[in-house]
Amino acid sequence: MKASGLYIHIPFCKSKCHYCDFFSETTLLKKNELIDALLTELKTEMLFLHEAKPVIRTIYFGGGTPSLLEETDFEKIFSTISNFYNISSCEEITLEANPDDLTSEYLQMLRKFPFNRISIGVQSLEDNELRAINRRHTSDQAMEAVKACHLAGFENISIDLMYGLPEQTLDSFSKTIEKALSLPVSHISSYALSWEEGSVLYQKLKKGILKQKSDEFLESCYFELNSLLMANGFLRYELSNFSHPGYESKHNSSYWDGTYYLGVGPGAHSYNGSIRRSNVSSIDGYISGILSNEPVRDGESLDMDTKYNDFIMTRLRTTKGVFMHELERLFGISKRYYCMYNARKSIKNGLLIYEDENLRIDEKGLFIADSICSDLIWA
Ligand code: SF4
């Protein structure tokens, strides 16, 4: 059996970013109870991965803001993980972090644990844009945080950048990318701003205080990002993810190649080849459910049609694309015919490339990848 992924969700933030509608809490009052619940879930759910002591290849601390955890929290979590999971050959352990948490003291503390990758929520390197989305750090602080990580010995550093932000222009986005390229980062993820209904930005949009950027603007940002990163030694390995060769995120890649993973914490998702499930998205509901052994999750058994759809939607987002012999082996010849039949139009228009049994999205189809993929979905 392939080694699995472990995801640990920490639903606390110091303050609320204005684009975010996530259910995180801005106090740490329930942190200790949450850690107890996480440890309980780690101890009781390993069989979801079909093994008594599952072999783990990647661990990802996401949130929320996992960089709000302290040394004693990490000690408890890592000790439980090593007791109940086999992490002797674990290749990647990532901590998501906010720039203002990454002081040299904090980084020295992190070095006591087996983290080998830091993923920093930078979002922009222009102060007016950071203020407009209520990030609690400045551009300088973010740049210093990246340098401090490097100085502390982390060589696998990822940053997140956003485009489509209020106040952003194509020129300011290019400046952000150029500043990012001057930093010791090996991986960049970049997504368009999503106007989530529960967010402060969405309310401002509805009141007419803010305007959404046009698709043309977003497309220009996306292609600017591609060309600047490619010209500077980065490879695009997924639509929104770029890295130096060998620094692709192993954890995120495993979501796209069907690897099993266990997610613990409120709102965390898990997948074991036949079941996909998610934990309740509430801190109180999660803690009380886990600690009193009450159900805290919804799940679904995946039929072959759903698995085929997941396969198409995730694989086509990667530069490797879909190998037809693999699709046929997994889902049968009828799905292969179905996929190729529905791909004809996009192949003809040059949005999809088909060669040597491999179907992948061409450069000019990248920005409309979702609609290209949806044509191939089993309806
Ligand atoms: S974007 Fe991240 S740091 Fe900001 S409020 Fe949402 S979860 Fe917290």
Side-chain angles (χ1 to χ4, degrees):
M1 193 185 307
K2 259 202 319 192
S4 306
L6 196 54
Y7 175 82
I8 295 160
H9 191 75
I10 308 297
F12 301 112
C13 299
K14 272 191 199 152
S15 56
K16 203 75 199 165
C17 305
H18 283 183
Y19 54 88
C20 183
D21 74 340
F22 185 68
F23 67 93
S24 62
E25 277 190 9
T26 51
T27 79
L28 290 174
L29 289 175
K30 295 184 189 128
K31 191 188 73 172
N32 291 340
E33 280 175 277
L34 180 96
I35 300 285
D36 286 346
L38 284 178
L39 302 182
T40 304
E41 195 178 16
L42 279 167
K43 287 175 196 164
T44 52
E45 287 304 315
M46 61 274 186
L47 283 178
F48 181 77
L49 296 172
H50 307 299
E51 283 178 284
K53 192 167 184 177
V55 179
I56 299 296
R57 179 171 172 250
T58 62
I59 303 176
Y60 194 101
F61 286 71
T65 311
S67 53
L68 291 176
L69 295 189
E70 297 167 289
E71 185 167 354
T72 47
D73 304 321
F74 289 126
E75 271 166 6
K76 288 180 197 163
I77 294 172
F78 277 112
S79 141
T80 304
I81 291 175
S82 8
N83 284 337
F84 292 87
Y85 300 80
N86 177 348
I87 58 166
S88 57
S89 53
C90 194
E91 294 171 26
E92 185 187 273
I93 306 185
T94 303
L95 179 81
E96 265 183 13
N98 260 22
D100 57 326
D101 294 328
L102 294 172
T103 60
S104 55
E105 236 181 359
Y106 192 78
L107 286 161
Q108 285 317 316
M109 181 275 286
L110 290 182
R111 296 297 294 168
K112 297 180 188 167
F113 298 96
F115 291 111
N116 59 7
R117 185 169 184 272
I118 305 279
S119 175
I120 309 175
V122 168
Q123 314 313 353
S124 165
L125 289 168
E126 293 293 309
D127 285 340
N128 60 329
E129 295 168 17
L130 290 168
R131 276 194 299 273
I133 54 174
N134 202 37
R135 291 294 291 178
R136 56 176 209 264
H137 57 87
T138 62
S139 162
D140 283 351
Q141 277 176 315
M143 292 182 74
E144 287 312 312
V146 174
K147 290 177 197 162
C149 286
H150 197 243
L151 209 62
F154 290 101
E155 57 148 34
N156 192 348
I157 303 170
S158 176
I159 60 170
D160 291 349
L161 300 176
M162 294 173 88
Y163 52 95
L165 297 176
E167 310 244 345
Q168 195 172 48
T169 62
L170 184 55
D171 190 42
S172 71
F173 184 54
S174 307
K175 281 191 186 140
T176 283
I177 301 169
E178 275 156 18
K179 286 186 205 169
L181 286 168
S182 74
L183 296 170
V185 294
S186 47
H187 186 280
I188 296 180
S189 300
S190 188
Y191 293 89
L193 171 69
S194 162
W195 296 79
E196 303 295 343
E197 246 182 75
S199 69
V200 173
L201 288 192
Y202 185 82
Q203 288 161 24
K204 288 189 175 175
L205 180 73
K206 287 288 126 189
K207 286 181 188 153
I209 301 168
L210 289 176
K211 267 177 77 178
Q212 221 163 328
K213 303 283 187 198
S214 66
D215 281 351
E216 291 71 30
F217 176 82
L218 298 178
E219 189 170 354
S220 304
C221 288
Y222 182 68
F223 284 109
E224 179 75 352
L225 175 80
N226 270 266
S227 71
L228 283 175
L229 294 190
M230 304 291 204
N232 284 278
F234 281 77
L235 301 174
R236 185 187 61 249
Y237 66 100
E238 196 264 355
L239 285 176
S240 306
N241 285 280
F242 303 79
S243 75
H244 285 155
Y247 286 88
E248 299 86 359
S249 161
K250 292 184 172 68
H251 188 83
N252 288 345
S253 300
S254 67
Y255 292 143
W256 308 320
D257 72 8
T259 300
Y260 302 168
Y261 54 89
L262 175 67
V264 297
H269 294 252
S270 305
Y271 168 73
N272 69 359
S274 51
I275 294 171
R276 185 164 53 200
R277 68 182 199 189
S278 56
N279 287 353
V280 61
S281 293
S282 141
I283 297 176
D284 288 336
Y286 173 77
I287 293 173
S288 63
I290 290 284
L291 297 181
S292 59
N293 206 15
E294 297 291 327
V296 292
R297 40 188 88 90
D298 276 334
E300 55 169 337
S301 294
L302 303 180
D303 60 23
M304 286 312 260
D305 294 347
T306 310
K307 286 188 186 180
Y308 162 83
N309 289 344
D310 287 351
F311 180 83
I312 292 290
M313 293 304 284
T314 53
R315 292 294 178 92
L316 268 185
R317 290 180 63 89
T318 68
T319 40
K320 285 186 192 152
V322 170
F323 288 95
M324 280 303 145
H325 56 266
E326 191 186 4
L327 187 150
E328 184 178 332
R329 178 174 57 78
L330 293 171
F331 305 106
I333 190 125
S334 61
K335 287 284 196 303
R336 176 193 174 118
Y337 285 146
Y338 179 86
C339 177
M340 287 310 298
Y341 184 81
N342 287 290
R344 281 171 315 155
K345 194 174 89 198
S346 293
I347 295 173
K348 194 165 165 222
N349 295 339
L351 300 172
L352 278 172
I353 302 170
Y354 183 59
E355 53 189 19
D356 298 334
E357 283 272 284
N358 176 251
L359 189 66
R360 62 185 189 279
I361 295 180
D362 183 71
E363 288 270 317
K364 53 181 178 290
L366 290 174
F367 193 68
I368 50 163
D370 284 348
S371 91
I372 296 173
C373 292
S374 64
D375 287 346
L376 313 185
I377 286 303
W378 186 265

